[in-house]
Amino acid sequence: DRARQVFGAARAVISDIDGVLLVSGRAVPGAGALLRRRRCALVSNNSTHTARTLRDVFAGAGLAAREQDFFLAGEAAVRAVHERFPGKSVLALASGEVLACARRTLPLAGADETPGVVLVCRDETLTFEKLQRAVNALRAGAAAVLANPDLTHPAAGGRVHLETGAIWALLAAACRRTQEAALVVGKPCPDLVRQALEHLAVAAHEAVFLGDTLQTDARAAAAAGVPFIHVGGEGFALSELVEGGSMAGGLPGP
């Protein structure tokens, strides 16, 4: 059908990670074959890992990926704060390697300092104290930078992992802000997709985007002009798509 034609003819593949290539750190059937056979860039709203540590997660799941092929919302959000709010003190709701990245890059606010920016990532060490401090900073006028608006991402057995957007929903309700009041860095913003296209050196119509979330993946692909294929959930099984797609050059006509 049309989706398999587009997949087979694409010069390069841009793929989401959670729910498409990995679920709870385990490789989805077909992920290894995709990465071996196709030129891929990996665009994810992940805001816990850096490219280096996520490459290691892939290796642990038996998947080969290069550090330079990852485009991650958490790292991008840290860069966005550094570039757009130079010199402002930052309260980072983050954990893991993204928090370590923020500590290396940003002037983090001291305990008695009112932050000028609140960076919201997936914080696995979140406490009531952190939330209360963030709410008060936002109510005092701090800028908000949001790695992604996802409420959840898929877990094994049909369960979910809480995501960055769930933290933001609580903060926004407490300080009466909407998502539009935050600078959103990850999908559905198309910036990471455009960076992946530049990295792959292909035009938007020459690539294909594989994603499991219509609200973020599909919207980001559309905004960047990249054909989208829904994978996982109600979409295609990745293994079916990878094994069924041809490798012809050039995209089919409309």
Side-chain angles (χ1 to χ4, degrees):
D1 62 15
R2 173 71 176 172
R4 290 188 180 87
Q5 286 181 324
V6 172
F7 174 79
R11 290 183 57 202
V13 176
I14 299 172
S15 180
D16 181 35
I17 296 176
D18 288 310
V20 177
L21 302 178
L22 294 176
V23 172
S24 293
R26 295 186 178 182
V28 170
L34 174 68
L35 295 173
R36 287 193 303 272
R37 298 176 187 178
R38 306 300 294 268
R39 292 180 59 219
C40 293
L42 309 172
V43 174
S44 173
N45 275 351
N46 185 298
S47 63
T48 305
H49 287 283
T50 62
R52 178 181 59 81
T53 61
L54 196 50
R55 176 203 62 192
D56 294 341
V57 171
F58 268 54
L63 302 176
R66 304 181 305 170
E67 187 173 335
Q68 60 264 38
D69 293 329
F70 290 94
F71 297 85
L72 306 178
E75 285 184 308
V78 172
R79 287 195 300 271
V81 172
H82 176 70
E83 293 168 0
R84 300 197 189 196
F85 302 97
K88 285 199 172 186
S89 61
V90 180
L91 173 59
L93 300 188
S95 59
E97 289 303 310
V98 169
L99 178 58
C101 179
R103 285 173 172 157
R104 292 191 298 268
T105 308
L106 304 174
L108 298 187
D112 299 325
E113 185 178 0
T114 299
V117 181
V118 176
L119 170 64
V120 186
C121 296
R122 185 169 183 261
D123 189 349
E124 296 178 333
T125 63
L126 194 61
T127 63
F128 187 84
E129 181 182 0
K130 279 188 189 179
L131 286 170
Q132 187 160 271
R133 189 178 180 202
V135 166
N136 283 305
L138 292 167
R139 289 172 69 97
V145 177
L146 178 61
N148 72 72
D150 292 337
L151 297 175
T152 64
H153 71 255
R159 303 180 70 188
V160 298
H161 297 290
L162 282 177
E163 257 296 347
T164 307
I167 299 172
W168 173 249
L170 188 156
L171 295 175
C175 64
R176 300 189 181 95
R177 289 199 187 188
T178 64
Q179 187 174 300
E180 288 70 27
L183 171 62
V184 179
V185 176
K187 300 170 293 185
C189 174
D191 289 357
L192 295 179
V193 181
R194 289 172 177 152
Q195 292 170 28
L197 288 170
E198 183 176 354
H199 170 68
L200 293 165
V202 297
H205 71 276
E206 296 175 311
V208 65
F209 191 112
L210 307 183
D212 68 318
T213 307
L214 299 180
Q215 293 86 352
T216 52
D217 294 329
R219 288 173 58 193
V226 179
F228 175 77
I229 299 177
H230 188 195
V231 174
E234 301 299 317
F236 284 89
L238 181 64
S239 58
E240 176 187 358
L241 190 65
V242 171
E243 298 302 330
S246 68
M247 300 287 179
L251 282 172

